[in-house]
Amino acid sequence: MIQREKPEIIAVDNIFELAADRRELLSFMEKLPEGVKLVQVTGGLHPEPLVRLARKHGFSFNPENPSDEAETCARLADMGVGHEVSLFEDITKIKVSRARSLGRGGWSQNRYRRKVHGAVLQRSREIESALKDLSQEKGIRFETVNVKGFGGYVRSEFTVYAKRGEIPIHPMASNDAQVSVRSVERDRIRYVPLKTKHQRRKFTIVGIDPGTTVGIAILSLDGELLYLKSSRGMAPDEVVKLIAEYGKPAVVASDVTPMPGSVEKIRRSFNAVPASPGIEVSAEEKIALGRTFGYSNDHERDALTAALLTYRSYKNIFSRIEKKAPQNADLELIKFYVIRGASIEAAIEKARASGEPEKPKPKEHAEKPEGRAVDESLLKMRETVQRQSEQIQNLQEYLEELKKELIAKDRKISKLESRLNSFKKEAYSEIRKSKEIKIRDETIANLKKEVSHKSKTVKELRRRSNKLRKIQKMEVRGEGTAVKVIAAFTKESISEAKEKYGLKIGDVVFLENPSGGGTATAQILVEAGIRAVIIPEDISHAAEETFFKGDVPVLKNIPLERLKTLQWPNQKPLKPQSQTGKQKPMQDATKPNRTNCRASLKNIGVKGAEVWFKKSSF
């Protein structure tokens, strides 16, 4: 009968009277013609008794009479009461595949496979062309997955993001290819409130838990749960659109006090009454409240808590309204006026006044159904315009508030930037100061090292000066003669001795290592004008000749008392230097040859020593 009559709605008070379980219900709904709705008039997840529902809408029936019960269901569904049962997503899967198996085959197997795959390819291209035209006309998206085979396609799958009734493609089968069309099944049954034909949108109580994951709970003014779900990354405009699908929010509630800013923005979009518990609600209380309805996560629990607490706060007033309101009165509208702040009596009068102009319309246009449809369409348009005007006004006010907040934030950013710049300057000044201090500390350390080195040098020079003074005093008293020490009989050692303590005319020098020196080296000492040379061992003949010619006596084996770089000659008599191969001494002092004679070293501060010297005044 359903296939023959193709009704718009199949109305029942309980969908599981048609099917024992979900599988049977799914099978039943797949067999329904396109455009036929299955409606449960008693509500969604929490049904209301049919008798109470009928009484609420102004008529009664015999519960024991199935015909009366069926008629009541039909009348309520026609009034827009109930929820459409939705088992399928707004997604349709279309599959094109081979109509028969290819089998093992024989000599003509490849030709047969090419024929079948070619038929699948041709049918896939026809469907793809039809879907492209549909996409251009209605903007419906679709995706394609093709599996290639020998000579064509093994299969093609199309995912169309639209309801099955919106797609002009039907299941079919031919000898080589077949097409299957099916809707994508939902995870669980969804109940979608019916949109009333001749009445305004229902008023709702909405609870929202804001955040990255948004929880939304929607209740009717009778306490029925219409929607409960959470979604991650949901934009505010998407939340507003979703809430509007289930009616007009009379109250938008939050489970915390004060109401979060994001919830406040959504509330202003609907010009709804705000609600919050006023005190902190414990987790145990939230769990107890939501246990009756069930929830999937904490976000849904918090949203449901906000909506249920709000409904509980109005429940006593709603009961009083149901008792005081006259028969056939619009209870929802009265409740809405009371929520907006009116008394029960004033709300009843407002509801009666708003309902009076609509009564004569059916009589005036009873004979003109086309005119009545135009008037109804015009009223809907006016209601939509009024609602959108209110929303635009609220959005404009919200925009002004956002502009003010933006100006305040700009000022705050400017202040913070100026503070940041001052902090940067201070930090730069501190860094520069620390660098300068570090450089100064290094300079001071270097100067301290230099001062320490200079102090040591001065100390050494002072010590040497004191010693020289002491020696000078000793020389003045006739206690001896200072002898300056030269480490080696070389030009470098002589230069070093000159730099250290100087060589002047009349100095006596002591060669610690007289070997290696020659004429040039000896000539340096002669030119310096030294008075005598003391040696611990023999020197070269050339050097000896040079000293002899320069009238510089050479003293050997003289005991000395060492005092750092100076030597002090002992006063004991010493043996004369042995000179083999020299002429015997002569008594005539006027001859210019070498003469061996005994002389006293009194003039140079050394007594009892004998040396070779050129005859002249010593």
Side-chain angles (χ1 to χ4, degrees), residues 200 328-330 333 337 347-362:
R200 66 179 178 279
N328 298 330
D330 192 341
L333 188 58
Y337 287 140
I348 293 173
E349 290 299 324
K350 285 184 179 181
R352 183 183 293 115
S354 62
E356 284 177 358
E358 297 179 0
K359 291 181 180 178
K361 286 184 179 178

PDB file of all heavy atoms in Angstrom, residues 200 328-330 333 337 347-362:
ATOM      1  N   ARG A 200       4.411  28.709  14.302  1.00  0.00           N
ATOM      2  CA  ARG A 200       5.751  29.292  14.410  1.00  0.00           C
ATOM      3  C   ARG A 200       6.732  28.217  14.873  1.00  0.00           C
ATOM      4  O   ARG A 200       6.345  27.106  15.245  1.00  0.00           O
ATOM      5  CB  ARG A 200       5.730  30.437  15.415  1.00  0.00           C
ATOM      6  CG  ARG A 200       5.439  29.932  16.781  1.00  0.00           C
ATOM      7  CD  ARG A 200       5.417  30.973  17.849  1.00  0.00           C
ATOM      8  NE  ARG A 200       5.071  30.319  19.097  1.00  0.00           N
ATOM      9  CZ  ARG A 200       3.852  30.007  19.459  1.00  0.00           C
ATOM     10  NH1 ARG A 200       2.841  30.341  18.682  1.00  0.00           N
ATOM     11  NH2 ARG A 200       3.622  29.371  20.598  1.00  0.00           N
ATOM     12  N   ASN A 328      -7.235  25.003  24.905  1.00  0.00           N
ATOM     13  CA  ASN A 328      -6.793  25.353  23.547  1.00  0.00           C
ATOM     14  C   ASN A 328      -5.883  26.577  23.506  1.00  0.00           C
ATOM     15  O   ASN A 328      -5.667  27.162  22.441  1.00  0.00           O
ATOM     16  CB  ASN A 328      -7.985  25.589  22.613  1.00  0.00           C
ATOM     17  CG  ASN A 328      -8.846  24.342  22.463  1.00  0.00           C
ATOM     18  OD1 ASN A 328      -8.329  23.218  22.565  1.00  0.00           O
ATOM     19  ND2 ASN A 328     -10.130  24.538  22.248  1.00  0.00           N
ATOM     20  N   ALA A 329      -5.373  26.996  24.653  1.00  0.00           N
ATOM     21  CA  ALA A 329      -4.435  28.137  24.664  1.00  0.00           C
ATOM     22  C   ALA A 329      -3.050  27.670  24.198  1.00  0.00           C
ATOM     23  O   ALA A 329      -2.689  26.482  24.307  1.00  0.00           O
ATOM     24  CB  ALA A 329      -4.346  28.724  26.062  1.00  0.00           C
ATOM     25  N   ASP A 330      -2.309  28.608  23.673  1.00  0.00           N
ATOM     26  CA  ASP A 330      -0.942  28.317  23.195  1.00  0.00           C
ATOM     27  C   ASP A 330      -0.003  28.326  24.401  1.00  0.00           C
ATOM     28  O   ASP A 330       0.513  29.362  24.825  1.00  0.00           O
ATOM     29  CB  ASP A 330      -0.519  29.369  22.173  1.00  0.00           C
ATOM     30  CG  ASP A 330       0.748  28.962  21.428  1.00  0.00           C
ATOM     31  OD1 ASP A 330       1.472  28.077  21.927  1.00  0.00           O
ATOM     32  OD2 ASP A 330       1.017  29.536  20.357  1.00  0.00           O
ATOM     33  N   LEU A 333       3.691  29.640  23.854  1.00  0.00           N
ATOM     34  CA  LEU A 333       3.811  31.083  23.738  1.00  0.00           C
ATOM     35  C   LEU A 333       3.662  31.747  25.105  1.00  0.00           C
ATOM     36  O   LEU A 333       4.384  32.706  25.424  1.00  0.00           O
ATOM     37  CB  LEU A 333       2.765  31.621  22.766  1.00  0.00           C
ATOM     38  CG  LEU A 333       2.878  33.099  22.390  1.00  0.00           C
ATOM     39  CD1 LEU A 333       4.234  33.394  21.775  1.00  0.00           C
ATOM     40  CD2 LEU A 333       1.749  33.515  21.447  1.00  0.00           C
ATOM     41  N   TYR A 337       6.437  34.085  27.049  1.00  0.00           N
ATOM     42  CA  TYR A 337       6.226  35.433  27.599  1.00  0.00           C
ATOM     43  C   TYR A 337       6.604  35.485  29.082  1.00  0.00           C
ATOM     44  O   TYR A 337       7.155  36.480  29.562  1.00  0.00           O
ATOM     45  CB  TYR A 337       4.780  35.859  27.403  1.00  0.00           C
ATOM     46  CG  TYR A 337       4.419  36.216  25.975  1.00  0.00           C
ATOM     47  CD1 TYR A 337       3.194  35.846  25.411  1.00  0.00           C
ATOM     48  CD2 TYR A 337       5.315  36.933  25.185  1.00  0.00           C
ATOM     49  CE1 TYR A 337       2.872  36.173  24.108  1.00  0.00           C
ATOM     50  CE2 TYR A 337       5.001  37.254  23.870  1.00  0.00           C
ATOM     51  CZ  TYR A 337       3.788  36.871  23.340  1.00  0.00           C
ATOM     52  OH  TYR A 337       3.488  37.194  22.051  1.00  0.00           O
ATOM     53  N   ALA A 347       0.830  37.128  30.368  1.00  0.00           N
ATOM     54  CA  ALA A 347       1.278  36.254  29.278  1.00  0.00           C
ATOM     55  C   ALA A 347       0.087  35.604  28.583  1.00  0.00           C
ATOM     56  O   ALA A 347       0.064  35.471  27.341  1.00  0.00           O
ATOM     57  CB  ALA A 347       2.225  35.186  29.835  1.00  0.00           C
ATOM     58  N   ILE A 348      -0.949  35.212  29.357  1.00  0.00           N
ATOM     59  CA  ILE A 348      -2.148  34.612  28.750  1.00  0.00           C
ATOM     60  C   ILE A 348      -2.846  35.623  27.855  1.00  0.00           C
ATOM     61  O   ILE A 348      -3.302  35.297  26.738  1.00  0.00           O
ATOM     62  CB  ILE A 348      -3.090  34.092  29.855  1.00  0.00           C
ATOM     63  CG1 ILE A 348      -2.441  32.901  30.583  1.00  0.00           C
ATOM     64  CG2 ILE A 348      -4.432  33.690  29.271  1.00  0.00           C
ATOM     65  CD1 ILE A 348      -3.216  32.434  31.806  1.00  0.00           C
ATOM     66  N   GLU A 349      -2.947  36.872  28.296  1.00  0.00           N
ATOM     67  CA  GLU A 349      -3.581  37.916  27.488  1.00  0.00           C
ATOM     68  C   GLU A 349      -2.801  38.169  26.205  1.00  0.00           C
ATOM     69  O   GLU A 349      -3.381  38.329  25.132  1.00  0.00           O
ATOM     70  CB  GLU A 349      -3.702  39.212  28.302  1.00  0.00           C
ATOM     71  CG  GLU A 349      -4.704  39.139  29.432  1.00  0.00           C
ATOM     72  CD  GLU A 349      -6.113  38.871  28.910  1.00  0.00           C
ATOM     73  OE1 GLU A 349      -6.455  39.382  27.824  1.00  0.00           O
ATOM     74  OE2 GLU A 349      -6.861  38.138  29.575  1.00  0.00           O
ATOM     75  N   LYS A 350      -1.477  38.218  26.331  1.00  0.00           N
ATOM     76  CA  LYS A 350      -0.653  38.441  25.132  1.00  0.00           C
ATOM     77  C   LYS A 350      -0.816  37.293  24.133  1.00  0.00           C
ATOM     78  O   LYS A 350      -0.905  37.521  22.925  1.00  0.00           O
ATOM     79  CB  LYS A 350       0.813  38.564  25.527  1.00  0.00           C
ATOM     80  CG  LYS A 350       1.193  39.879  26.171  1.00  0.00           C
ATOM     81  CD  LYS A 350       2.702  39.919  26.431  1.00  0.00           C
ATOM     82  CE  LYS A 350       3.102  41.252  27.059  1.00  0.00           C
ATOM     83  NZ  LYS A 350       4.575  41.310  27.298  1.00  0.00           N
ATOM     84  N   ALA A 351      -0.857  36.072  24.655  1.00  0.00           N
ATOM     85  CA  ALA A 351      -1.018  34.917  23.760  1.00  0.00           C
ATOM     86  C   ALA A 351      -2.380  34.930  23.084  1.00  0.00           C
ATOM     87  O   ALA A 351      -2.506  34.640  21.893  1.00  0.00           O
ATOM     88  CB  ALA A 351      -0.840  33.624  24.562  1.00  0.00           C
ATOM     89  N   ARG A 352      -3.414  35.324  23.852  1.00  0.00           N
ATOM     90  CA  ARG A 352      -4.769  35.395  23.266  1.00  0.00           C
ATOM     91  C   ARG A 352      -4.829  36.491  22.209  1.00  0.00           C
ATOM     92  O   ARG A 352      -5.411  36.303  21.140  1.00  0.00           O
ATOM     93  CB  ARG A 352      -5.791  35.674  24.372  1.00  0.00           C
ATOM     94  CG  ARG A 352      -7.223  35.678  23.838  1.00  0.00           C
ATOM     95  CD  ARG A 352      -8.230  36.016  24.921  1.00  0.00           C
ATOM     96  NE  ARG A 352      -8.302  34.957  25.938  1.00  0.00           N
ATOM     97  CZ  ARG A 352      -7.945  35.105  27.200  1.00  0.00           C
ATOM     98  NH1 ARG A 352      -7.495  36.289  27.632  1.00  0.00           N
ATOM     99  NH2 ARG A 352      -8.049  34.106  28.047  1.00  0.00           N
ATOM    100  N   ALA A 353      -4.189  37.650  22.495  1.00  0.00           N
ATOM    101  CA  ALA A 353      -4.202  38.764  21.542  1.00  0.00           C
ATOM    102  C   ALA A 353      -3.443  38.409  20.273  1.00  0.00           C
ATOM    103  O   ALA A 353      -3.852  38.771  19.161  1.00  0.00           O
ATOM    104  CB  ALA A 353      -3.587  40.007  22.186  1.00  0.00           C
ATOM    105  N   SER A 354      -2.342  37.716  20.428  1.00  0.00           N
ATOM    106  CA  SER A 354      -1.566  37.351  19.242  1.00  0.00           C
ATOM    107  C   SER A 354      -2.250  36.279  18.423  1.00  0.00           C
ATOM    108  O   SER A 354      -2.024  36.160  17.217  1.00  0.00           O
ATOM    109  CB  SER A 354      -0.178  36.849  19.655  1.00  0.00           C
ATOM    110  OG  SER A 354      -0.309  35.677  20.462  1.00  0.00           O
ATOM    111  N   GLY A 355      -3.162  35.497  19.053  1.00  0.00           N
ATOM    112  CA  GLY A 355      -3.844  34.422  18.324  1.00  0.00           C
ATOM    113  C   GLY A 355      -5.134  34.864  17.689  1.00  0.00           C
ATOM    114  O   GLY A 355      -5.646  34.204  16.801  1.00  0.00           O
ATOM    115  N   GLU A 356      -5.711  36.001  18.080  1.00  0.00           N
ATOM    116  CA  GLU A 356      -7.010  36.434  17.555  1.00  0.00           C
ATOM    117  C   GLU A 356      -6.994  36.770  16.076  1.00  0.00           C
ATOM    118  O   GLU A 356      -7.881  36.360  15.351  1.00  0.00           O
ATOM    119  CB  GLU A 356      -7.528  37.630  18.356  1.00  0.00           C
ATOM    120  CG  GLU A 356      -8.072  37.241  19.722  1.00  0.00           C
ATOM    121  CD  GLU A 356      -8.506  38.451  20.517  1.00  0.00           C
ATOM    122  OE1 GLU A 356      -8.345  39.574  19.991  1.00  0.00           O
ATOM    123  OE2 GLU A 356      -8.999  38.284  21.639  1.00  0.00           O
ATOM    124  N   PRO A 357      -6.017  37.500  15.567  1.00  0.00           N
ATOM    125  CA  PRO A 357      -6.081  37.863  14.150  1.00  0.00           C
ATOM    126  C   PRO A 357      -5.988  36.675  13.222  1.00  0.00           C
ATOM    127  O   PRO A 357      -6.375  36.769  12.072  1.00  0.00           O
ATOM    128  CB  PRO A 357      -4.869  38.776  13.968  1.00  0.00           C
ATOM    129  CG  PRO A 357      -4.510  39.238  15.350  1.00  0.00           C
ATOM    130  CD  PRO A 357      -4.889  38.139  16.247  1.00  0.00           C
ATOM    131  N   GLU A 358      -5.476  35.549  13.725  1.00  0.00           N
ATOM    132  CA  GLU A 358      -5.280  34.428  12.827  1.00  0.00           C
ATOM    133  C   GLU A 358      -6.555  33.611  12.645  1.00  0.00           C
ATOM    134  O   GLU A 358      -6.639  32.798  11.744  1.00  0.00           O
ATOM    135  CB  GLU A 358      -4.170  33.522  13.383  1.00  0.00           C
ATOM    136  CG  GLU A 358      -2.832  34.231  13.460  1.00  0.00           C
ATOM    137  CD  GLU A 358      -1.770  33.315  14.024  1.00  0.00           C
ATOM    138  OE1 GLU A 358      -2.107  32.151  14.347  1.00  0.00           O
ATOM    139  OE2 GLU A 358      -0.625  33.755  14.154  1.00  0.00           O
ATOM    140  N   LYS A 359      -7.578  33.779  13.533  1.00  0.00           N
ATOM    141  CA  LYS A 359      -8.763  32.931  13.478  1.00  0.00           C
ATOM    142  C   LYS A 359      -9.626  33.171  12.255  1.00  0.00           C
ATOM    143  O   LYS A 359     -10.096  32.248  11.647  1.00  0.00           O
ATOM    144  CB  LYS A 359      -9.594  33.122  14.747  1.00  0.00           C
ATOM    145  CG  LYS A 359      -8.901  32.565  15.976  1.00  0.00           C
ATOM    146  CD  LYS A 359      -9.762  32.757  17.215  1.00  0.00           C
ATOM    147  CE  LYS A 359      -9.055  32.200  18.444  1.00  0.00           C
ATOM    148  NZ  LYS A 359      -9.846  32.409  19.681  1.00  0.00           N
ATOM    149  N   PRO A 360      -9.907  34.439  11.871  1.00  0.00           N
ATOM    150  CA  PRO A 360     -10.794  34.608  10.717  1.00  0.00           C
ATOM    151  C   PRO A 360     -10.188  34.247   9.387  1.00  0.00           C
ATOM    152  O   PRO A 360     -10.887  34.163   8.409  1.00  0.00           O
ATOM    153  CB  PRO A 360     -11.126  36.100  10.763  1.00  0.00           C
ATOM    154  CG  PRO A 360      -9.994  36.724  11.490  1.00  0.00           C
ATOM    155  CD  PRO A 360      -9.527  35.707  12.465  1.00  0.00           C
ATOM    156  N   LYS A 361      -8.889  34.038   9.326  1.00  0.00           N
ATOM    157  CA  LYS A 361      -8.235  33.813   8.034  1.00  0.00           C
ATOM    158  C   LYS A 361      -8.753  32.590   7.307  1.00  0.00           C
ATOM    159  O   LYS A 361      -9.037  32.664   6.122  1.00  0.00           O
ATOM    160  CB  LYS A 361      -6.724  33.721   8.227  1.00  0.00           C
ATOM    161  CG  LYS A 361      -6.099  35.063   8.498  1.00  0.00           C
ATOM    162  CD  LYS A 361      -4.592  34.930   8.572  1.00  0.00           C
ATOM    163  CE  LYS A 361      -3.987  36.309   8.816  1.00  0.00           C
ATOM    164  NZ  LYS A 361      -2.524  36.236   8.935  1.00  0.00           N
ATOM    165  N   PRO A 362      -8.946  31.438   8.000  1.00  0.00           N
ATOM    166  CA  PRO A 362      -9.445  30.275   7.264  1.00  0.00           C
ATOM    167  C   PRO A 362     -10.827  30.511   6.664  1.00  0.00           C
ATOM    168  O   PRO A 362     -11.116  30.040   5.586  1.00  0.00           O
ATOM    169  CB  PRO A 362      -9.494  29.180   8.322  1.00  0.00           C
ATOM    170  CG  PRO A 362      -8.484  29.616   9.346  1.00  0.00           C
ATOM    171  CD  PRO A 362      -8.569  31.101   9.354  1.00  0.00           C
TER     172      PRO A 362
END
